Amino acid sequence: MFASLRHAPILAALTLALALAAGCGAAAAPPAPPLARNAAAVDGAVSSLSLSGAPRPSVPVVRATRAVDQVVPSAVSAPLVASPPRPTPSPRRAAPTPEQPSAVERIARLAELRAPRLVVRPAATPRPGGAVHAAIIEPPRALPPSHTTEPQEPPPPSVAPPMPRGLEKIQHFVFIMQENRSFDSYFGTYPGADGIPPGVCLPNPRGGPCIAPHHDPSPLNRGGPHDLSDAVADIDGGRMDGFVARAYVEMGRALPVPCPPSRASCAPAADPRDVMGWHDSREIPNYWNYARLYVLQDHMFSSVPSYTLPNRLYLLAGQSGGLLRHAQLRPATFRFPLIVESLTAHGVSWRYYVTSGQRLDPVTGQVIDAPAEQQAVTRFSYFNPLPAFAQVAASPTLRRSIVDTSQFYRDAREGHLPAVAWVAPSEPLSEHPPHDIRLGMAYVTGLVNAVMEGPDWSSTAIFISYDEWGGFYDHVPPPRLGGQEVGLRVPGLVISPYARQGYIDHQIHTPASWLRIVEERFGLPPLTWRDAEADDMIADFDFSQRPRPPVLLAATPEGSPYPHPLQVIQR
């Protein structure tokens, strides 16, 4: 009895609390889904559509709002502006859904957690028609212990992969990464490759006839936009039909408009319809000759469906630290592990060659050393992200291995190539639109010839590819690797005295395959799940054949005639 009296106040309080909760439950708004809340902070929500052919979800995606509290009409033109905090969720906010978020959404969520956060505060003088908010930058928030900056399932193993038989014959790896070309734009009509299918014709968003893939004889192209939102639109759920529409979206930002839609033809590098154009041996004969003489990879994909910087970070680290789109604030320094650190720790030589010059020798195709044009090799750029890494800035040993490309020609000539070399172009020689693709071809040929003419040729493998698609049409939807969508398809070439002749490699690759083969050759543990699970491209080599003699092509804008005679393979 006394126990019942003692607990009576407690029971009464509990009864009252339950009654209040029941009366207020109908008015309480459910919290916004965590995924939508985080994804919306990154320049508008990333589309919940899978980049591949997954079905569209029925629940609308919440998009970030501007300071005037209007829905952003287009993620392409929306700057990264966080909306002011509101006391209650907007009725436009999506309800929780049991559907599994796409990999791109998970990356965006993790990117928002990793990146510095924009905090908006009222400014002194508001604009007419809406409040203005001043943005300040707060330090990045720490990621939860269970997350890394990229989705990883499973974590990479800590042991080095075994070296395939015969790979010991390769003592030097040279990686040449050019800019912004899709596979179909360069090799879409190459015999035997997975090229442009018949009957393709994309609608013109400004009216008129549809636009089919066509031969483009101009070495100057405009290309299309190539941020994350552009990739999502180009891929369009696997339909691969958004390229023309996206090119017109970008053209609409230019004042004055360079090429009105009513015009039948436009000046080179001014026509958004050139995203459907393709080149062949008439414009890029040396690249087609390399494909004929060595290996063409027709399922090489860029690392991520976005612009240059995150793709070049993946080239060196197998991740981008969560950086995925232009509008994200780039941290002052990167701190995730690099392959160059692993190489240095294991006593493996490497150099990152930065091309400063912008002109070529008319005979050799080598970059003319012009001090007035040179950029400091220790200065960060999209093509040279290494100086932005804290561990590089703190290490004189690592910094000494970042050198000008003039050193590459000397190293090749004198037989002093490092075990691993990367060569980054200057923009005029990179093939990035609107620059002349013939000059880029001559520049790359000059690098290849320098290796072939040096004493290290017999033990070298050269890999050539492009960082991303540049807005140009490609018909193959990007696959999902480890649950994450990769970028669009780009050209890939393998040149070596041990490379198979005339071989078309249909295996799926990304630049993680470049990391993988280096890790196998020199006994390095993988950096991330991406390189741990990558194909090592070993099928591109035939180590039973004798090293083939070099084939020197003309390092000029005209190149060497196609087709070049095949070599006799000796065993």
Side-chain angles (χ1 to χ4, degrees):
M1 175 178 176
F2 290 106
S4 300
L5 292 173
R6 186 170 63 248
H7 290 93
I10 299 175
L11 294 173
L14 289 174
T15 303
L16 178 61
L18 290 173
L20 289 173
C24 300
L35 177 62
R37 198 164 53 238
N38 289 326
V42 187
D43 186 28
V46 178
S47 171
S48 64
L49 298 179
S50 168
L51 291 182
S52 54
R56 298 172 182 264
S58 59
V59 179
V61 177
V62 179
R63 299 193 178 275
T65 54
R66 296 182 185 275
V68 294
D69 193 23
Q70 295 177 347
V71 176
V72 179
S74 171
V76 182
S77 57
L80 179 61
V81 179
S83 59
R86 284 178 277 178
T88 57
S90 166
R92 294 188 300 270
R93 191 178 294 275
T97 172
E99 294 184 14
Q100 185 69 18
S102 73
V104 171
E105 285 184 305
R106 288 186 286 124
I107 298 171
R109 177 177 181 269
L110 294 172
E112 190 272 336
L113 289 170
R114 182 70 175 90
R117 184 161 57 104
L118 277 178
V119 178
V120 289
R121 294 178 178 172
T125 331
R127 277 186 306 220
V132 180
H133 296 86
I136 64 172
I137 300 175
E138 289 188 349
R141 283 167 283 174
L143 288 173
S146 60
H147 290 83
T148 62
T149 54
E150 317 288 343
Q152 302 192 63
E153 299 122 0
S158 58
V159 297
M163 181 170 62
R165 180 178 299 178
L167 189 56
E168 71 279 355
K169 296 181 179 180
I170 304 298
Q171 300 177 28
H172 308 278
F173 295 85
V174 177
F175 301 110
I176 301 171
M177 181 70 82
Q178 292 289 95
E179 286 281 314
N180 291 47
R181 299 287 163 174
S182 72
F183 183 89
D184 277 344
S185 70
Y186 268 17
F187 293 99
T189 60
Y190 187 84
D194 185 359
I196 302 170
V200 173
C201 199
L202 302 193
N204 188 329
R206 305 297 177 90
C210 62
I211 302 171
H214 56 274
H215 176 242
D216 186 353
S218 173
L220 307 177
N221 309 127
R222 177 184 179 85
H226 38 274
D227 205 353
L228 175 61
S229 55
D230 304 307
V232 173
D234 285 353
I235 296 166
D236 192 16
R239 286 178 284 273
M240 309 304 289
D241 61 3
F243 300 87
V244 176
R246 215 60 180 174
Y248 273 105
V249 167
E250 184 186 49
M251 187 191 73
R253 301 196 202 108
L255 294 174
V257 174
C259 178
S262 58
R263 191 172 299 171
S265 62
C266 304
D271 191 343
R273 290 166 289 196
D274 72 12
V275 296
M276 298 300 291
W278 47 261
H279 303 290
D280 60 14
S281 60
R282 289 167 283 185
E283 294 78 43
I284 46 173
N286 287 2
Y287 288 155
W288 275 50
N289 277 321
Y290 287 143
R292 172 178 167 83
L293 292 166
Y294 301 102
V295 176
L296 173 65
Q297 297 171 327
D298 69 355
H299 281 80
M300 167 67 81
F301 294 85
S302 56
S303 298
V304 291
S306 193
Y307 73 109
T308 290
L309 180 55
N311 278 289
R312 289 193 178 264
L313 291 171
Y314 265 87
L315 172 68
L316 296 165
Q319 63 164 305
S320 63
L323 191 68
L324 202 61
R325 62 193 311 157
H326 268 295
Q328 284 177 255
L329 292 174
R330 181 177 61 84
T333 56
F334 298 112
R335 298 182 182 275
F336 43 92
L338 289 161
I339 187 66
V340 299
E341 295 178 275
S342 187
L343 291 169
T344 301
H346 288 77
V348 181
S349 62
W350 65 273
R351 275 182 171 164
Y352 192 90
Y353 298 93
V354 181
T355 303
S356 299
Q358 302 177 8
R359 295 176 296 155
L360 298 177
D361 183 283
V363 177
T364 66
Q366 296 185 5
V367 178
I368 296 174
D369 190 10
E373 298 174 345
Q374 287 189 2
Q375 57 181 345
V377 298
T378 56
R379 188 172 67 234
F380 165 84
S381 71
Y382 282 2
F383 295 175
N384 178 24
L386 284 175
F389 281 82
Q391 55 268 46
V392 174
S395 171
T397 301
L398 296 179
R399 292 199 306 274
R400 279 195 297 269
S401 292
I402 308 173
V403 298
D404 192 84
T405 301
S406 57
Q407 183 67 45
F408 178 85
Y409 302 120
R410 289 193 292 271
D411 290 345
R413 182 175 60 250
E414 297 168 3
H416 294 154
L417 282 175
V420 185
W422 294 269
V423 187
S426 60
E427 186 165 341
L429 304 177
S430 69
E431 302 167 61
H432 189 298
H435 297 292
D436 194 325
I437 61 175
R438 299 171 305 178
L439 288 180
M441 180 191 71
Y443 159 73
V444 170
T445 305
L447 296 171
V448 173
N449 285 353
V451 176
M452 288 183 169
E453 293 180 299
D456 291 332
W457 161 248
S458 62
S459 57
T460 297
I462 304 171
F463 301 83
I464 303 169
S465 191
Y466 293 76
D467 64 339
E468 35 99 345
W469 84 113
F472 290 100
Y473 173 75
D474 194 84
H475 78 280
V476 177
R480 299 169 72 96
L481 300 180
Q484 179 185 349
E485 290 91 349
V486 298
L488 282 87
R489 199 171 57 142
V490 293
L493 293 166
V494 180
I495 301 170
S496 173
Y498 293 103
R500 297 181 185 273
Q501 182 170 239
Y503 180 67
I504 299 179
D505 181 358
H506 302 300
Q507 176 67 35
I508 292 175
H509 302 295
T510 72
S513 293
W514 292 6
L515 295 172
R516 177 69 178 184
I517 197 170
V518 167
E519 291 161 354
E520 289 181 344
R521 174 60 180 85
F522 299 109
L524 312 178
L527 296 169
T528 67
W529 68 267
R530 179 72 73 90
D531 49 306
E533 297 179 356
D535 184 84
D536 58 9
M537 306 176 294
I538 202 69
D540 295 348
F541 299 90
D542 182 358
F543 292 114
S544 68
Q545 69 188 27
R546 294 183 184 179
R548 290 198 269 157
V551 178
L552 300 176
L553 302 180
T556 63
E558 296 75 23
S560 294
Y562 175 86
H564 193 282
L566 295 175
Q567 293 181 293
V568 176
I569 304 299
Q570 299 182 351
R571 303 186 185 278

PDB file of all heavy atoms in Angstrom, residues 322-350:
ATOM      1  N   GLY A 322      36.285  13.766 -51.506  1.00  0.00           N
ATOM      2  CA  GLY A 322      34.923  14.282 -51.458  1.00  0.00           C
ATOM      3  C   GLY A 322      34.658  15.395 -52.444  1.00  0.00           C
ATOM      4  O   GLY A 322      33.511  15.798 -52.630  1.00  0.00           O
ATOM      5  N   LEU A 323      35.692  15.924 -53.105  1.00  0.00           N
ATOM      6  CA  LEU A 323      35.492  16.985 -54.092  1.00  0.00           C
ATOM      7  C   LEU A 323      34.903  16.385 -55.356  1.00  0.00           C
ATOM      8  O   LEU A 323      35.464  15.458 -55.941  1.00  0.00           O
ATOM      9  CB  LEU A 323      36.835  17.655 -54.397  1.00  0.00           C
ATOM     10  CG  LEU A 323      36.774  18.946 -55.212  1.00  0.00           C
ATOM     11  CD1 LEU A 323      36.130  20.052 -54.396  1.00  0.00           C
ATOM     12  CD2 LEU A 323      38.172  19.358 -55.637  1.00  0.00           C
ATOM     13  N   LEU A 324      33.764  16.927 -55.791  1.00  0.00           N
ATOM     14  CA  LEU A 324      33.059  16.294 -56.890  1.00  0.00           C
ATOM     15  C   LEU A 324      32.488  17.272 -57.898  1.00  0.00           C
ATOM     16  O   LEU A 324      32.148  16.868 -59.002  1.00  0.00           O
ATOM     17  CB  LEU A 324      31.927  15.418 -56.340  1.00  0.00           C
ATOM     18  CG  LEU A 324      31.425  14.299 -57.246  1.00  0.00           C
ATOM     19  CD1 LEU A 324      32.522  13.302 -57.557  1.00  0.00           C
ATOM     20  CD2 LEU A 324      30.239  13.582 -56.615  1.00  0.00           C
ATOM     21  N   ARG A 325      32.403  18.553 -57.558  1.00  0.00           N
ATOM     22  CA  ARG A 325      31.802  19.484 -58.500  1.00  0.00           C
ATOM     23  C   ARG A 325      32.402  20.872 -58.332  1.00  0.00           C
ATOM     24  O   ARG A 325      32.979  21.203 -57.287  1.00  0.00           O
ATOM     25  CB  ARG A 325      30.283  19.519 -58.314  1.00  0.00           C
ATOM     26  CG  ARG A 325      29.831  19.982 -56.960  1.00  0.00           C
ATOM     27  CD  ARG A 325      28.358  19.690 -56.727  1.00  0.00           C
ATOM     28  NE  ARG A 325      27.544  20.131 -57.829  1.00  0.00           N
ATOM     29  CZ  ARG A 325      26.336  19.633 -58.087  1.00  0.00           C
ATOM     30  NH1 ARG A 325      25.830  18.683 -57.325  1.00  0.00           N
ATOM     31  NH2 ARG A 325      25.627  20.080 -59.103  1.00  0.00           N
ATOM     32  N   HIS A 326      32.258  21.696 -59.371  1.00  0.00           N
ATOM     33  CA  HIS A 326      32.868  23.021 -59.393  1.00  0.00           C
ATOM     34  C   HIS A 326      32.453  23.875 -58.206  1.00  0.00           C
ATOM     35  O   HIS A 326      33.262  24.610 -57.651  1.00  0.00           O
ATOM     36  CB  HIS A 326      32.484  23.750 -60.684  1.00  0.00           C
ATOM     37  CG  HIS A 326      33.460  23.556 -61.804  1.00  0.00           C
ATOM     38  ND1 HIS A 326      34.758  24.010 -61.755  1.00  0.00           N
ATOM     39  CD2 HIS A 326      33.321  22.950 -63.012  1.00  0.00           C
ATOM     40  CE1 HIS A 326      35.379  23.705 -62.880  1.00  0.00           C
ATOM     41  NE2 HIS A 326      34.543  23.051 -63.658  1.00  0.00           N
ATOM     42  N   ALA A 327      31.190  23.811 -57.841  1.00  0.00           N
ATOM     43  CA  ALA A 327      30.668  24.741 -56.850  1.00  0.00           C
ATOM     44  C   ALA A 327      31.122  24.420 -55.435  1.00  0.00           C
ATOM     45  O   ALA A 327      30.952  25.233 -54.538  1.00  0.00           O
ATOM     46  CB  ALA A 327      29.141  24.771 -56.907  1.00  0.00           C
ATOM     47  N   GLN A 328      31.673  23.249 -55.222  1.00  0.00           N
ATOM     48  CA  GLN A 328      32.174  22.936 -53.888  1.00  0.00           C
ATOM     49  C   GLN A 328      33.401  23.780 -53.578  1.00  0.00           C
ATOM     50  O   GLN A 328      34.242  24.030 -54.443  1.00  0.00           O
ATOM     51  CB  GLN A 328      32.555  21.456 -53.783  1.00  0.00           C
ATOM     52  CG  GLN A 328      31.376  20.523 -53.664  1.00  0.00           C
ATOM     53  CD  GLN A 328      31.831  19.085 -53.640  1.00  0.00           C
ATOM     54  OE1 GLN A 328      31.678  18.371 -54.629  1.00  0.00           O
ATOM     55  NE2 GLN A 328      32.386  18.653 -52.527  1.00  0.00           N
ATOM     56  N   LEU A 329      33.483  24.208 -52.341  1.00  0.00           N
ATOM     57  CA  LEU A 329      34.661  24.947 -51.917  1.00  0.00           C
ATOM     58  C   LEU A 329      35.830  23.988 -51.783  1.00  0.00           C
ATOM     59  O   LEU A 329      35.751  22.988 -51.076  1.00  0.00           O
ATOM     60  CB  LEU A 329      34.399  25.645 -50.579  1.00  0.00           C
ATOM     61  CG  LEU A 329      33.388  26.797 -50.608  1.00  0.00           C
ATOM     62  CD1 LEU A 329      33.115  27.290 -49.201  1.00  0.00           C
ATOM     63  CD2 LEU A 329      33.920  27.934 -51.470  1.00  0.00           C
ATOM     64  N   ARG A 330      36.916  24.299 -52.473  1.00  0.00           N
ATOM     65  CA  ARG A 330      38.108  23.458 -52.369  1.00  0.00           C
ATOM     66  C   ARG A 330      38.832  23.785 -51.068  1.00  0.00           C
ATOM     67  O   ARG A 330      39.089  24.948 -50.769  1.00  0.00           O
ATOM     68  CB  ARG A 330      39.039  23.703 -53.560  1.00  0.00           C
ATOM     69  CG  ARG A 330      40.289  22.836 -53.541  1.00  0.00           C
ATOM     70  CD  ARG A 330      41.143  23.058 -54.766  1.00  0.00           C
ATOM     71  NE  ARG A 330      41.608  24.415 -54.881  1.00  0.00           N
ATOM     72  CZ  ARG A 330      42.693  24.886 -54.254  1.00  0.00           C
ATOM     73  NH1 ARG A 330      43.391  24.110 -53.455  1.00  0.00           N
ATOM     74  NH2 ARG A 330      43.056  26.132 -54.426  1.00  0.00           N
ATOM     75  N   PRO A 331      39.167  22.780 -50.284  1.00  0.00           N
ATOM     76  CA  PRO A 331      39.920  23.061 -49.050  1.00  0.00           C
ATOM     77  C   PRO A 331      41.287  23.633 -49.371  1.00  0.00           C
ATOM     78  O   PRO A 331      41.835  23.433 -50.456  1.00  0.00           O
ATOM     79  CB  PRO A 331      40.035  21.686 -48.379  1.00  0.00           C
ATOM     80  CG  PRO A 331      39.840  20.707 -49.486  1.00  0.00           C
ATOM     81  CD  PRO A 331      38.906  21.341 -50.470  1.00  0.00           C
ATOM     82  N   ALA A 332      41.842  24.369 -48.424  1.00  0.00           N
ATOM     83  CA  ALA A 332      43.157  24.975 -48.636  1.00  0.00           C
ATOM     84  C   ALA A 332      44.218  23.907 -48.867  1.00  0.00           C
ATOM     85  O   ALA A 332      45.163  24.124 -49.639  1.00  0.00           O
ATOM     86  CB  ALA A 332      43.523  25.853 -47.440  1.00  0.00           C
ATOM     87  N   THR A 333      44.073  22.774 -48.214  1.00  0.00           N
ATOM     88  CA  THR A 333      45.016  21.670 -48.391  1.00  0.00           C
ATOM     89  C   THR A 333      44.260  20.353 -48.427  1.00  0.00           C
ATOM     90  O   THR A 333      43.199  20.214 -47.810  1.00  0.00           O
ATOM     91  CB  THR A 333      46.050  21.610 -47.242  1.00  0.00           C
ATOM     92  OG1 THR A 333      45.358  21.514 -45.994  1.00  0.00           O
ATOM     93  CG2 THR A 333      46.942  22.834 -47.238  1.00  0.00           C
ATOM     94  N   PHE A 334      44.824  19.409 -49.164  1.00  0.00           N
ATOM     95  CA  PHE A 334      44.337  18.027 -49.146  1.00  0.00           C
ATOM     96  C   PHE A 334      45.243  17.217 -48.222  1.00  0.00           C
ATOM     97  O   PHE A 334      46.437  17.502 -48.105  1.00  0.00           O
ATOM     98  CB  PHE A 334      44.359  17.426 -50.547  1.00  0.00           C
ATOM     99  CG  PHE A 334      43.471  18.126 -51.538  1.00  0.00           C
ATOM    100  CD1 PHE A 334      44.008  18.830 -52.602  1.00  0.00           C
ATOM    101  CD2 PHE A 334      42.094  18.068 -51.416  1.00  0.00           C
ATOM    102  CE1 PHE A 334      43.196  19.467 -53.524  1.00  0.00           C
ATOM    103  CE2 PHE A 334      41.268  18.697 -52.331  1.00  0.00           C
ATOM    104  CZ  PHE A 334      41.820  19.407 -53.390  1.00  0.00           C
ATOM    105  N   ARG A 335      44.683  16.160 -47.633  1.00  0.00           N
ATOM    106  CA  ARG A 335      45.463  15.373 -46.674  1.00  0.00           C
ATOM    107  C   ARG A 335      45.313  13.876 -46.855  1.00  0.00           C
ATOM    108  O   ARG A 335      45.842  13.110 -46.061  1.00  0.00           O
ATOM    109  CB  ARG A 335      45.085  15.755 -45.235  1.00  0.00           C
ATOM    110  CG  ARG A 335      45.369  17.211 -44.902  1.00  0.00           C
ATOM    111  CD  ARG A 335      45.023  17.562 -43.465  1.00  0.00           C
ATOM    112  NE  ARG A 335      45.268  18.967 -43.196  1.00  0.00           N
ATOM    113  CZ  ARG A 335      46.441  19.483 -42.845  1.00  0.00           C
ATOM    114  NH1 ARG A 335      47.486  18.684 -42.692  1.00  0.00           N
ATOM    115  NH2 ARG A 335      46.580  20.775 -42.636  1.00  0.00           N
ATOM    116  N   PHE A 336      44.604  13.421 -47.873  1.00  0.00           N
ATOM    117  CA  PHE A 336      44.440  11.979 -48.022  1.00  0.00           C
ATOM    118  C   PHE A 336      45.682  11.385 -48.697  1.00  0.00           C
ATOM    119  O   PHE A 336      46.470  12.090 -49.332  1.00  0.00           O
ATOM    120  CB  PHE A 336      43.162  11.641 -48.786  1.00  0.00           C
ATOM    121  CG  PHE A 336      42.889  12.494 -49.987  1.00  0.00           C
ATOM    122  CD1 PHE A 336      43.336  12.126 -51.234  1.00  0.00           C
ATOM    123  CD2 PHE A 336      42.174  13.669 -49.866  1.00  0.00           C
ATOM    124  CE1 PHE A 336      43.073  12.901 -52.358  1.00  0.00           C
ATOM    125  CE2 PHE A 336      41.912  14.472 -50.970  1.00  0.00           C
ATOM    126  CZ  PHE A 336      42.363  14.078 -52.217  1.00  0.00           C
ATOM    127  N   PRO A 337      45.888  10.064 -48.552  1.00  0.00           N
ATOM    128  CA  PRO A 337      47.135   9.435 -49.015  1.00  0.00           C
ATOM    129  C   PRO A 337      47.312   9.514 -50.533  1.00  0.00           C
ATOM    130  O   PRO A 337      46.355   9.484 -51.299  1.00  0.00           O
ATOM    131  CB  PRO A 337      46.987   7.979 -48.554  1.00  0.00           C
ATOM    132  CG  PRO A 337      45.981   8.016 -47.461  1.00  0.00           C
ATOM    133  CD  PRO A 337      45.029   9.117 -47.816  1.00  0.00           C
ATOM    134  N   LEU A 338      48.553   9.589 -50.947  1.00  0.00           N
ATOM    135  CA  LEU A 338      48.937   9.671 -52.357  1.00  0.00           C
ATOM    136  C   LEU A 338      49.790   8.472 -52.743  1.00  0.00           C
ATOM    137  O   LEU A 338      50.559   7.956 -51.924  1.00  0.00           O
ATOM    138  CB  LEU A 338      49.741  10.947 -52.616  1.00  0.00           C
ATOM    139  CG  LEU A 338      48.994  12.281 -52.576  1.00  0.00           C
ATOM    140  CD1 LEU A 338      49.978  13.425 -52.382  1.00  0.00           C
ATOM    141  CD2 LEU A 338      48.192  12.467 -53.854  1.00  0.00           C
ATOM    142  N   ILE A 339      49.717   8.074 -54.012  1.00  0.00           N
ATOM    143  CA  ILE A 339      50.568   6.999 -54.498  1.00  0.00           C
ATOM    144  C   ILE A 339      52.034   7.396 -54.442  1.00  0.00           C
ATOM    145  O   ILE A 339      52.902   6.542 -54.232  1.00  0.00           O
ATOM    146  CB  ILE A 339      50.149   6.605 -55.938  1.00  0.00           C
ATOM    147  CG1 ILE A 339      50.899   5.358 -56.414  1.00  0.00           C
ATOM    148  CG2 ILE A 339      50.379   7.766 -56.898  1.00  0.00           C
ATOM    149  CD1 ILE A 339      50.580   4.107 -55.669  1.00  0.00           C
ATOM    150  N   VAL A 340      52.344   8.688 -54.580  1.00  0.00           N
ATOM    151  CA  VAL A 340      53.751   9.106 -54.554  1.00  0.00           C
ATOM    152  C   VAL A 340      54.350   8.917 -53.172  1.00  0.00           C
ATOM    153  O   VAL A 340      55.561   8.670 -53.043  1.00  0.00           O
ATOM    154  CB  VAL A 340      53.897  10.565 -55.028  1.00  0.00           C
ATOM    155  CG1 VAL A 340      53.396  10.715 -56.460  1.00  0.00           C
ATOM    156  CG2 VAL A 340      53.186  11.540 -54.114  1.00  0.00           C
ATOM    157  N   GLU A 341      53.544   9.025 -52.123  1.00  0.00           N
ATOM    158  CA  GLU A 341      54.051   8.744 -50.778  1.00  0.00           C
ATOM    159  C   GLU A 341      54.424   7.269 -50.649  1.00  0.00           C
ATOM    160  O   GLU A 341      55.476   6.936 -50.081  1.00  0.00           O
ATOM    161  CB  GLU A 341      53.002   9.093 -49.736  1.00  0.00           C
ATOM    162  CG  GLU A 341      52.642  10.548 -49.629  1.00  0.00           C
ATOM    163  CD  GLU A 341      51.554  10.769 -48.604  1.00  0.00           C
ATOM    164  OE1 GLU A 341      50.364  10.623 -48.961  1.00  0.00           O
ATOM    165  OE2 GLU A 341      51.886  11.057 -47.431  1.00  0.00           O
ATOM    166  N   SER A 342      53.567   6.415 -51.161  1.00  0.00           N
ATOM    167  CA  SER A 342      53.845   4.986 -51.085  1.00  0.00           C
ATOM    168  C   SER A 342      55.086   4.624 -51.895  1.00  0.00           C
ATOM    169  O   SER A 342      55.920   3.825 -51.459  1.00  0.00           O
ATOM    170  CB  SER A 342      52.624   4.207 -51.582  1.00  0.00           C
ATOM    171  OG  SER A 342      52.779   2.829 -51.376  1.00  0.00           O
ATOM    172  N   LEU A 343      55.219   5.220 -53.074  1.00  0.00           N
ATOM    173  CA  LEU A 343      56.412   4.971 -53.889  1.00  0.00           C
ATOM    174  C   LEU A 343      57.668   5.405 -53.155  1.00  0.00           C
ATOM    175  O   LEU A 343      58.669   4.675 -53.116  1.00  0.00           O
ATOM    176  CB  LEU A 343      56.288   5.719 -55.222  1.00  0.00           C
ATOM    177  CG  LEU A 343      55.228   5.212 -56.205  1.00  0.00           C
ATOM    178  CD1 LEU A 343      55.035   6.214 -57.341  1.00  0.00           C
ATOM    179  CD2 LEU A 343      55.621   3.851 -56.773  1.00  0.00           C
ATOM    180  N   THR A 344      57.618   6.591 -52.577  1.00  0.00           N
ATOM    181  CA  THR A 344      58.792   7.097 -51.852  1.00  0.00           C
ATOM    182  C   THR A 344      59.132   6.209 -50.664  1.00  0.00           C
ATOM    183  O   THR A 344      60.305   5.886 -50.425  1.00  0.00           O
ATOM    184  CB  THR A 344      58.527   8.536 -51.383  1.00  0.00           C
ATOM    185  OG1 THR A 344      58.245   9.364 -52.522  1.00  0.00           O
ATOM    186  CG2 THR A 344      59.732   9.100 -50.652  1.00  0.00           C
ATOM    187  N   ALA A 345      58.123   5.794 -49.914  1.00  0.00           N
ATOM    188  CA  ALA A 345      58.361   4.954 -48.739  1.00  0.00           C
ATOM    189  C   ALA A 345      58.976   3.613 -49.113  1.00  0.00           C
ATOM    190  O   ALA A 345      59.707   3.015 -48.309  1.00  0.00           O
ATOM    191  CB  ALA A 345      57.058   4.744 -47.979  1.00  0.00           C
ATOM    192  N   HIS A 346      58.704   3.124 -50.317  1.00  0.00           N
ATOM    193  CA  HIS A 346      59.236   1.832 -50.759  1.00  0.00           C
ATOM    194  C   HIS A 346      60.484   1.985 -51.641  1.00  0.00           C
ATOM    195  O   HIS A 346      60.918   1.010 -52.250  1.00  0.00           O
ATOM    196  CB  HIS A 346      58.161   1.044 -51.509  1.00  0.00           C
ATOM    197  CG  HIS A 346      57.081   0.500 -50.624  1.00  0.00           C
ATOM    198  ND1 HIS A 346      56.064   1.281 -50.127  1.00  0.00           N
ATOM    199  CD2 HIS A 346      56.864  -0.760 -50.133  1.00  0.00           C
ATOM    200  CE1 HIS A 346      55.271   0.535 -49.374  1.00  0.00           C
ATOM    201  NE2 HIS A 346      55.720  -0.695 -49.360  1.00  0.00           N
ATOM    202  N   GLY A 347      61.029   3.193 -51.724  1.00  0.00           N
ATOM    203  CA  GLY A 347      62.259   3.407 -52.462  1.00  0.00           C
ATOM    204  C   GLY A 347      62.105   3.324 -53.967  1.00  0.00           C
ATOM    205  O   GLY A 347      63.070   3.006 -54.676  1.00  0.00           O
ATOM    206  N   VAL A 348      60.900   3.607 -54.482  1.00  0.00           N
ATOM    207  CA  VAL A 348      60.633   3.558 -55.916  1.00  0.00           C
ATOM    208  C   VAL A 348      60.676   4.985 -56.465  1.00  0.00           C
ATOM    209  O   VAL A 348      59.972   5.871 -55.970  1.00  0.00           O
ATOM    210  CB  VAL A 348      59.262   2.912 -56.212  1.00  0.00           C
ATOM    211  CG1 VAL A 348      59.012   2.858 -57.708  1.00  0.00           C
ATOM    212  CG2 VAL A 348      59.187   1.520 -55.589  1.00  0.00           C
ATOM    213  N   SER A 349      61.480   5.220 -57.486  1.00  0.00           N
ATOM    214  CA  SER A 349      61.644   6.568 -58.025  1.00  0.00           C
ATOM    215  C   SER A 349      60.396   6.997 -58.792  1.00  0.00           C
ATOM    216  O   SER A 349      59.714   6.187 -59.412  1.00  0.00           O
ATOM    217  CB  SER A 349      62.865   6.624 -58.945  1.00  0.00           C
ATOM    218  OG  SER A 349      62.713   5.754 -60.051  1.00  0.00           O
ATOM    219  N   TRP A 350      60.105   8.293 -58.758  1.00  0.00           N
ATOM    220  CA  TRP A 350      58.967   8.841 -59.495  1.00  0.00           C
ATOM    221  C   TRP A 350      59.226  10.313 -59.776  1.00  0.00           C
ATOM    222  O   TRP A 350      60.001  10.976 -59.096  1.00  0.00           O
ATOM    223  CB  TRP A 350      57.665   8.685 -58.699  1.00  0.00           C
ATOM    224  CG  TRP A 350      57.627   9.489 -57.423  1.00  0.00           C
ATOM    225  CD1 TRP A 350      58.085   9.107 -56.189  1.00  0.00           C
ATOM    226  CD2 TRP A 350      57.127  10.821 -57.264  1.00  0.00           C
ATOM    227  NE1 TRP A 350      57.909  10.103 -55.266  1.00  0.00           N
ATOM    228  CE2 TRP A 350      57.311  11.178 -55.897  1.00  0.00           C
ATOM    229  CE3 TRP A 350      56.550  11.757 -58.112  1.00  0.00           C
ATOM    230  CZ2 TRP A 350      56.928  12.422 -55.384  1.00  0.00           C
ATOM    231  CZ3 TRP A 350      56.168  12.995 -57.604  1.00  0.00           C
ATOM    232  CH2 TRP A 350      56.358  13.307 -56.260  1.00  0.00           C
TER     233      TRP A 350
END
